[in-house]
Amino acid sequence: MITTISGLSEDDICCILSMAPTVDSVRTSILSKDWVPRWRWTLRINISDSSLFTNSSNRLNRVLEFVTSAIRLIPTFSEFELLLYDSQYSAEQIRNWMLEVLQRDIVSVRIRYRGETVELPPGLFHCRTLRKLKLEVTSHFLSPAIGSFDNLKTLKLSRIDIISTENPNNLQLQFPMLKKLCLDDCNWVNAASVAIRAPALIKFRVRQFLVPPPGSVYLLIQILAPKLELFEFCGYLLWRMDLLQALSVSTLNISHRGINGSPDYLSWNASCTQRILSQCLMVRSLKLEGEVVEMMFKSGQVHQLRELNLLKHLEFHSSCDPKSFLQFLEVTPYIEHIRLTVCGWDTFDYDSLESLPSCVVYQLVEVEFLGFKGTAPQCLLASFFLENGTVLRKMSGLYRQKREERHEERTLWEELRKQSFWEELKKKSTHVDFDVGE
């Protein structure tokens, strides 16, 4: 092994040290005299306080000294990642580290800190070499400074207040090179509307699990991204999202949470969801989840949707009644794969349906049930797909229940075999793969 390591080129050694956590790179200095200075050649500083000096009584100061020494003694690094899980570090120290890092030709920065509010250095917004920025800190951005990231390709902001300083009514953000954007629990302050222009944007994720202040509720956010392929929203949808030029979106994931069951809130969000679906007509994979989806069906807004002719894969996790779900399938005529949660589905009478969705009869190839417990409505829904799906090839579902004494697992087929209509149904569904249950 020593011969193998000694035979490596200096460039290879540098790459290996760059991939390892910084604390492990430093430890290689004990291998031999030749290795004493090599840890300083690393191209990446990667430090997490969760594994540093865990048994030391003076742990906080030792972590501070280690981070400061690494920044000052490694002259070649271009990537900086600092994950601090202890909230006792001072915000001023975080800012000082960022100032030192920005003096280098830095390409990537990631900082996680859940302590005091950090005042971000102005140089962060004007760093020409920066390509990737991930900030999981409590802080704020003042526009139009945030629009100065001319060369940034990846941006993730968590718990950041984005404050409009010039035009309080209309906030304009431009990211000419940005390809990935993620906003986690961010607030928009002093803005009635926001326009995000990102001509190169491919992936856009929004997660909002903290209720924003009243001033930012029902905000209009317009996204102008002609190359956008994936849009994902999770949490409380308190803004009206307009995906302008969204014909390139192929993957759409929407998961809502209600606020204290407010009907006004649910109605607002049902309208927002319907609007997004109407703008993404080229979507191929769709995931809908949460009680807001249920509200969209109850309010009848599903009938206002235009047909999603390219949709092939659907994930549906909601407690709406099965009949409303089948009504939604009427606007997805070419769907082939369905994955759905049926835990909250209590009634189903498919004999009352006025017509069968064409996708069930002519297109549907695979159905996967989640939370299948073998209740009568769930078995009727499964038999509906089996009986009417002329091209259906596979159906699966597993029910798991943890108990104090044992762990119970039952397959969908075990439950269906208990039904009185099973034998007759199996004869009608000879085209389906029954290997899972047999």
Side-chain angles (χ1 to χ4, degrees):
M1 178 61 71
I2 295 178
T3 304
T4 303
I5 294 177
S6 302
L8 292 175
S9 67
E10 297 298 338
D11 290 341
D12 290 338
I13 293 175
C14 179
C15 290
I16 294 173
L17 293 178
S18 299
M19 290 187 289
T22 302
V23 63
D24 293 335
S25 298
V26 174
R27 287 171 179 155
T28 61
S29 60
I30 66 172
L31 294 176
S32 69
K33 292 182 179 180
D34 293 338
W35 280 80
V36 171
R38 281 179 171 169
W39 65 271
R40 299 187 184 186
W41 301 349
T42 180
L43 302 177
R44 180 171 178 257
I45 292 181
N46 176 13
I47 299 176
S48 172
D49 71 340
S50 61
S51 58
L52 284 179
F53 313 114
T54 54
N55 298 323
S56 174
S57 58
N58 194 21
R59 178 174 178 270
L60 188 64
N61 289 333
R62 295 194 66 182
V63 171
L64 293 175
E65 292 175 1
F66 182 80
V67 176
T68 302
S69 299
I71 294 175
R72 294 177 180 176
L73 295 177
I74 301 177
T76 56
F77 74 90
S78 60
E79 299 182 22
F80 180 77
E81 180 174 304
L82 179 62
L83 307 180
L84 300 177
Y85 296 92
D86 193 326
S87 60
Q88 298 182 35
Y89 305 100
S90 70
E92 184 63 27
Q93 183 62 67
I94 307 298
R95 175 182 166 83
N96 291 337
W97 285 333
M98 295 182 68
L99 286 171
E100 291 193 53
V101 168
L102 291 172
Q103 294 177 8
R104 313 296 180 89
D105 292 331
I106 195 71
V107 174
S108 174
V109 173
R110 181 190 176 190
I111 298 178
R112 184 195 186 278
Y113 169 66
R114 287 289 188 257
E116 305 168 351
T117 300
V118 178
E119 182 181 354
L120 301 175
L124 180 66
F125 306 100
H126 305 284
C127 183
R128 295 290 182 181
T129 61
L130 194 60
R131 298 292 183 271
K132 181 185 294 186
L133 176 62
K134 296 182 179 181
L135 292 179
E136 302 171 51
V137 300
T138 303
S139 185
H140 58 265
F141 277 172
L142 298 177
S143 68
I146 189 176
S148 301
F149 292 120
D150 293 337
N151 299 317
L152 202 64
K153 293 186 177 181
T154 300
L155 176 61
K156 179 180 179 181
L157 303 178
S158 179
R159 296 176 182 259
I160 302 288
D161 289 339
I162 303 174
I163 305 174
S164 176
T165 57
E166 285 194 347
N167 188 346
N169 295 321
N170 188 8
L171 180 58
Q172 301 280 341
L173 303 178
Q174 297 190 23
F175 303 101
M177 302 293 290
L178 196 66
K179 292 185 176 181
K180 298 179 182 179
L181 175 60
C182 182
L183 303 176
D184 288 357
D185 289 324
C186 292
N187 294 325
W188 306 91
V189 183
N190 297 334
S193 64
V194 177
I196 301 176
R197 300 178 183 274
L201 189 64
I202 297 176
K203 297 181 180 180
F204 183 25
R205 291 184 169 92
V206 181
R207 299 180 178 92
Q208 190 68 41
F209 294 106
L210 297 178
V211 180
S216 61
V217 175
Y218 303 148
L219 177 74
L220 170 62
I221 300 181
Q222 295 179 321
I223 299 98
L224 291 90
K227 295 183 179 180
L228 188 64
E229 297 178 2
L230 181 146
F231 176 74
E232 179 178 295
F233 190 99
C234 300
Y236 304 119
L237 181 55
L238 298 178
W239 315 310
R240 193 180 78 181
M241 309 285 290
D242 276 357
L243 300 180
L244 306 180
Q245 303 174 348
L247 293 180
S248 60
V249 175
S250 60
T251 303
L252 182 62
N253 301 330
I254 302 178
S255 176
H256 294 308
R257 289 187 177 184
I259 299 180
N260 299 325
S262 170
D264 293 337
Y265 164 80
L266 291 176
S267 178
W268 163 268
N269 284 270
S271 176
C272 292
T273 302
Q274 184 267 335
R275 187 181 184 89
I276 292 175
L277 288 173
S278 299
Q279 293 170 341
C280 301
L281 298 178
M282 309 295 283
V283 64
R284 292 173 175 80
S285 177
L286 173 63
K287 178 181 178 181
L288 296 175
E289 182 176 5
E291 58 190 45
V292 176
V293 179
E294 178 183 357
M295 185 64 184
M296 185 175 68
F297 290 113
K298 289 183 178 179
S299 62
Q301 295 183 22
V302 67
H303 298 291
Q304 302 174 18
L305 293 175
R306 299 168 64 182
E307 285 193 351
L308 303 173
N309 290 322
L310 296 182
L311 187 64
K312 299 294 184 181
H313 178 82
L314 173 65
E315 284 195 40
F316 194 88
H317 310 290
S318 177
S319 58
C320 75
D321 64 278
K323 186 174 181 180
S324 296
F325 169 70
L326 294 176
Q327 289 175 345
F328 176 74
L329 293 184
E330 293 179 0
V331 299
T332 60
Y334 299 102
I335 199 163
E336 297 178 354
H337 304 270
I338 294 179
R339 190 169 189 255
L340 68 159
T341 299
V342 291
C343 292
W345 293 19
D346 300 325
T347 59
F348 180 47
D349 180 14
Y350 64 81
D351 292 332
S352 64
L353 294 176
E354 298 179 359
S355 62
L356 294 176
S358 62
C359 64
V360 174
V361 181
Y362 302 111
Q363 301 292 332
L364 192 59
V365 176
E366 181 178 355
V367 177
E368 179 183 358
F369 290 106
L370 302 179
F372 192 93
K373 297 182 180 180
T375 63
Q378 294 173 358
C379 289
L380 285 173
L381 181 62
S383 66
F384 168 79
F385 284 122
L386 289 169
E387 186 172 345
N388 296 287
T390 59
V391 296
L392 186 66
R393 291 293 178 267
K394 184 177 181 180
M395 181 180 287
S396 60
L398 184 65
Y399 166 59
R400 290 185 174 92
Q401 182 178 6
K402 291 184 178 180
R403 297 181 178 179
E404 294 182 0
E405 298 180 355
R406 62 191 179 94
H407 179 72
E408 180 182 4
E409 290 189 356
R410 297 199 303 272
T411 68
L412 172 142
W413 304 108
E414 290 173 350
E415 297 302 322
L416 286 181
R417 278 197 290 266
K418 299 176 183 178
Q419 306 300 317
S420 58
F421 53 77
W422 169 250
E423 291 300 330
E424 181 180 355
L425 179 64
K426 187 175 180 181
K427 293 178 182 178
K428 295 180 180 179
S429 308
T430 55
H431 54 282
V432 180
D433 179 10
F434 284 89
D435 292 341
V436 177
E438 296 296 282

